[in-house]
Amino acid sequence: MPPVASPLAYVPFVSVENMMRLVHHYGLERVLVELTEAVEADYRRWESFEKAPRVASHSREGVIELMPTSDGEVYSFKYVNGHPSNTAKGFQTVTAFGVLAQVETGYPLMLTEMTLLTALRTAATSAMAARHLAPTNARIMAMIGNGAQAEFQALAMKAVVGIEEIRLYDIDPAATTKTARNLAPSGLRTVSCASPEEAIEGAHIVTTCTADKAYATILTDNMVGSGIHINAIGGDCPGKTELHRDILARATTFVEFEPQTRIEGEIQQMSADYPVTEFWRLLDGTAEGRGDAAQITLFDSVGFAIEDFSALRYIHGRLEGSDFFQPIDILADPDDPRDLYGMLLRAAT
């Protein structure tokens, strides 16, 4: 019989099934609120993190990315893809998994699915930004693009910002029907719209979340009135945008990490001197947010590794004393750290 692995060989693994169990145990809206607080807490210590644009491998079909960061004590990375044509093949557009590790030893602390967790942290990040940038007492949001992210965005805005009505539009009416059906028990009023213009009518927040890898114009300048907050989350790689550049010319724009957003976000359309503010500066008081009721604010969100770090830390903190994970034998742990070969030999006896 091969030797039994020691406890050091095992790493907690959170499967999709266990992630769903964890979310249902605590309640989706509670998880979204707590994730929002976790993301904001890390934004408030932004300067303690390593920061770099994600490592991306682009193809005609999509992109595969690695998103690493560390605060000097804990390291994390996420593997994530974005393949817009996947839906037609019966696959998810976005899938992901992530690792949390201890800097001191390099040993992983947790391995987890991040397809669901990315949807949750993206919604939490959107809600964090809207809480600080949206008009006072914002109650109506337009959701342009009703795919896999839509319900998470809606429920985070409800739980964190106080949104009461969601106006839905998608070029595929079946996607809007799906989203309205899924949100029916939530307490939100849902309005299914036949055009983006109809969806935006009366909205205080407009969230765009479309998947096409193209220079798209989901919103044009004449559609955007004064005083709204735009949450643009669909643009996340070079050659992919959702807003006409004239909207950006009128907006006060906030980003996550400027060097990455210049490559991947809506602002890739603009000149290098187009002014933006990294969102963390609003939180530490070195930059202003919404200045008046007529101002158009834009959160040009492409997703950044610190948000994944926050989400991974949050989930890891929920594992102690729970059964929301399974230990997997993923690390070699020989009796003598110098004798890896000996461990292999003993396994044959």
Side-chain angles (χ1 to χ4, degrees):
M1 172 179 281
V4 177
S6 80
L8 285 177
Y10 289 92
V11 174
F13 169 60
V14 183
S15 64
V16 174
E17 178 184 3
N18 277 324
M19 185 66 73
M20 293 190 293
R21 289 179 59 237
L22 185 155
V23 170
H24 284 300
H25 176 80
Y26 290 105
L28 176 56
E29 290 193 27
R30 175 180 172 183
V31 168
L32 286 166
V33 169
E34 291 176 349
L35 264 177
T36 302
E37 299 303 330
V39 173
E40 182 163 322
D42 284 335
Y43 264 73
R44 289 183 182 276
R45 62 188 191 102
W46 185 266
E47 291 184 289
S48 67
F49 286 92
E50 295 177 352
K51 294 172 286 291
R54 52 189 155 209
V55 180
S57 175
H58 293 278
S59 67
R60 183 173 53 194
E61 293 77 20
V63 63
I64 296 173
E65 300 168 332
L66 290 176
M67 301 172 64
T69 190
S70 171
D71 67 354
E73 295 183 4
V74 179
Y75 170 91
S76 74
F77 79 82
K78 182 174 76 174
Y79 166 98
V80 62
N81 78 293
H83 284 65
S85 63
N86 270 4
T87 304
K89 305 171 188 175
F91 297 157
Q92 289 281 301
T93 300
V94 174
T95 62
F97 67 87
V99 170
L100 198 66
Q102 189 175 45
V103 168
E104 183 181 6
T105 63
Y107 271 44
L109 296 168
M110 182 183 69
L111 171 66
T112 179
E113 82 80 34
M114 288 195 76
T115 306
L116 276 166
L117 188 54
T118 294
L120 291 164
R121 75 87 163 132
T122 301
T125 304
S126 297
M128 172 192 69
R131 177 164 63 185
H132 293 276
L133 294 173
T136 304
N137 298 320
R139 293 295 177 262
I140 301 172
M141 182 173 85
M143 186 76 225
I144 313 297
N146 301 158
Q149 289 272 346
E151 295 89 344
F152 297 95
Q153 291 286 323
L155 291 170
M157 293 294 184
K158 171 180 180 283
V160 176
V161 181
I163 290 299
E164 298 171 353
E165 178 177 307
I166 301 292
R167 301 178 64 82
L168 302 170
Y169 172 73
D170 195 287
I171 58 172
D172 180 3
T176 299
T177 300
K178 175 270 303 181
T179 304
R181 180 181 65 246
N182 287 344
L183 291 176
S186 70
L188 285 164
R189 293 191 304 272
T190 60
V191 181
S192 298
C193 301
S195 68
E197 290 86 352
E198 181 185 349
I200 291 170
E201 186 176 352
H204 307 116
I205 299 172
V206 178
T207 295
T208 58
C209 185
T210 58
D212 283 350
K213 190 178 179 182
Y215 288 116
T217 306
I218 308 303
L219 299 184
T220 55
D221 186 42
N222 64 317
M223 295 165 63
V224 177
S226 63
I228 69 169
H229 172 63
I230 303 171
N231 181 44
I233 64 174
D236 57 5
C237 67
K240 182 181 179 188
T241 62
E242 297 180 310
L243 309 182
H244 193 283
R245 68 189 316 278
D246 287 351
I247 297 172
L248 278 72
R250 296 167 57 205
T252 303
T253 300
F254 296 81
V255 300
E256 291 141 318
F257 181 56
E258 183 178 348
Q260 179 173 296
T261 312
R262 290 280 180 192
I263 299 168
E264 301 178 348
E266 296 299 324
I267 63 172
Q268 68 184 274
Q269 306 175 69
M270 309 304 281
S271 63
D273 61 353
Y274 173 77
V276 300
T277 300
E278 290 190 341
F279 185 80
W280 69 275
R281 294 191 177 278
L282 185 156
L283 298 177
D284 83 347
T286 58
E288 293 185 355
R290 175 171 290 276
D292 59 69
Q295 187 177 11
I296 298 170
T297 54
L298 166 63
F299 184 48
D300 187 2
S301 176
V302 299
F304 191 60
I306 292 173
E307 298 152 11
D308 299 313
F309 178 99
S310 306
L312 287 162
R313 281 280 292 265
Y314 171 77
I315 294 299
H316 186 255
R318 287 298 191 188
L319 296 189
E320 187 174 355
S322 80
D323 64 351
F324 299 130
F325 68 95
Q326 59 197 93
I328 58 172
D329 178 8
I330 197 173
L331 298 176
D333 185 41
D335 295 336
D336 179 348
R338 299 165 298 180
D339 192 16
L340 185 63
Y341 183 74
M343 184 189 75
L344 176 63
L345 284 181
R346 289 190 296 276
T349 61

